[in-house]
């Protein structure tokens, strides 16, 4: 009989490499549809050579459009992807703090179910909020109260709380958060595309690399 520890799902990680650094992302087991789809595409090399085509400082960096690969400078991007969507997997405990991975999607008017793009995603940079700003956000835009523990994170680490429970969050950066800050600081054109192309390569970490990574993360937590 398997022990409870052995039966517990293992975390899976992906590495995103760019000219401006790299990061490692833990995919959430709480969002299995998004996790498995991202892993499937990464293993196929789907994202390799694709751009971060939409960058907004203090908000997020977006990529995953296959049409961006070798795209001309003036090309309008953001419409490409596989011919399917992924059902939303909203979880109250998963929210838009700085460094999370979340799925892009079509707007509510044509996508009332808020289904996610089959390939496009974004990494959150966001900003730090005050209590007054969070209170105003709850009153004017959100239909729920932000839990106190999440408020503390938005007031220290930062994020984009107005997207919570509207876009599926399915992972978070555990190493290399500065990559997001570097890309978010780049000069962009009128369509929010960086004037210098930012190509990505995404790979899935193998078991040995995962063990070494998790040991390293445990040591960091102990020191903290």
């Amino acid at each position: 009989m398997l022990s409870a520890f052995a039966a517990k799902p293992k975390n899976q990680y992906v590495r995103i490499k760019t000219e401006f650094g790299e990061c490692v992302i833990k995919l959430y087991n709480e969002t299995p549809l998004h996790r498995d789809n991202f892993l499937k595409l990464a293993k196929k090399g789907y994202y390799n050579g694709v751009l971060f085509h939409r960058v907004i400082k203090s908000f997020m960096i977006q990529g995953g459009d296959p049409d961006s690969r070798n795209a001309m400078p003036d090309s309008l991007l953001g419409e490409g992807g596989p011919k399917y969507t992924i059902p939303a997997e909203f979880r109250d405990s998963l929210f838009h703090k700085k460094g999370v991975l979340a799925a892009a999607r079509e707007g509510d008017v044509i996508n009332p179910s808020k289904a996610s793009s089959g390939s496009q995603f974004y990494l959150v940079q966001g900003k730090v909020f005050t209590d007054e700003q969070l209170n105003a956000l709850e009153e004017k835009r959100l239909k729920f109260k932000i839990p106190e523990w999440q408020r503390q994170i938005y007031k220290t680490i930062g994020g984009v709380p107005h997207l919570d429970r509207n876009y599926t969050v399915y992972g978070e950066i555990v190493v290399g958060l500065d990559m997001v800050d570097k890309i978010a600081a780049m000069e962009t054109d009128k369509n929010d595309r960086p004037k210098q192309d930012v190509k990505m390569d995404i790979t899935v970490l193998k078991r040995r690399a995962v063990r070494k990574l998790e040991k390293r993360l445990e040591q960091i937590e102990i020191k903290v």
Side-chain angles (χ1 to χ4, degrees), residues 4 13 15 27 49 79 83 87 96-97 103 114 138 144 147 155 166 169 176 191 194-196 212:
Y13 299 81
R15 176 180 283 111
L27 301 176
E79 300 298 323
K83 304 301 181 183
H96 282 79
K97 65 182 178 181
K114 301 181 180 180
E138 288 177 339
F144 57 87
K155 290 191 298 180
N166 271 296
V169 174
N191 295 314
K195 290 188 175 181
Q196 179 182 349
K212 292 174 71 173

Side-chain angles (χ1 to χ4, degrees), residues 116 150 157 159 176 183 221:
S116 300
Q150 292 183 11
I157 298 172
I183 295 173
E221 289 179 3

Side-chain angles (χ1 to χ4, degrees), residues 82-97:
K83 304 301 181 183
Y84 63 81
T85 57
I86 306 167
E89 293 183 289
F90 301 143
R91 304 287 183 263
D92 292 352
S93 61
L94 305 180
F95 60 107
H96 282 79
K97 65 182 178 181

Side-chain angles (χ1 to χ4, degrees), residues 9 11 55 66 82 91 110 116 125 147 152 157 167 190 203 215:
N11 292 318
V55 169
R91 304 287 183 263
I110 61 174
S116 300
Q125 183 188 43
Q152 292 303 316
I157 298 172
Y167 292 76
K190 63 181 180 180
T203 54
K215 186 174 182 180

Side-chain angles (χ1 to χ4, degrees), residues 61-156:
I61 63 173
Q62 180 177 335
D65 178 356
D67 295 343
S68 69
R69 193 182 284 109
N70 302 316
M72 296 298 291
D74 295 328
S75 300
L76 184 60
L77 301 170
E79 300 298 323
K83 304 301 181 183
Y84 63 81
T85 57
I86 306 167
E89 293 183 289
F90 301 143
R91 304 287 183 263
D92 292 352
S93 61
L94 305 180
F95 60 107
H96 282 79
K97 65 182 178 181
K98 182 175 182 177
V100 297
L101 164 72
R105 64 173 177 83
E106 296 281 5
D108 292 357
V109 174
I110 61 174
N111 179 28
S113 68
K114 301 181 180 180
S116 300
S117 163
S119 66
Q120 292 195 43
F121 65 89
Y122 57 93
L123 298 173
V124 169
Q125 183 188 43
K127 64 180 183 179
V128 173
F129 286 77
T130 64
D131 274 318
E132 291 74 18
Q133 290 172 322
L134 293 173
N135 291 340
L137 194 61
E138 288 177 339
E139 183 179 344
K140 296 176 181 179
R141 298 192 66 169
L142 301 177
K143 297 179 181 179
F144 57 87
K145 290 286 186 181
I146 302 172
E148 184 59 34
W149 67 277
Q150 292 183 11
R151 289 176 72 98
Q152 292 303 316
I153 292 174
Y154 282 133
K155 290 191 298 180
T156 53

Side-chain angles (χ1 to χ4, degrees), residues 2-8:
L2 290 174
S3 68
F5 178 80
K8 184 179 179 180

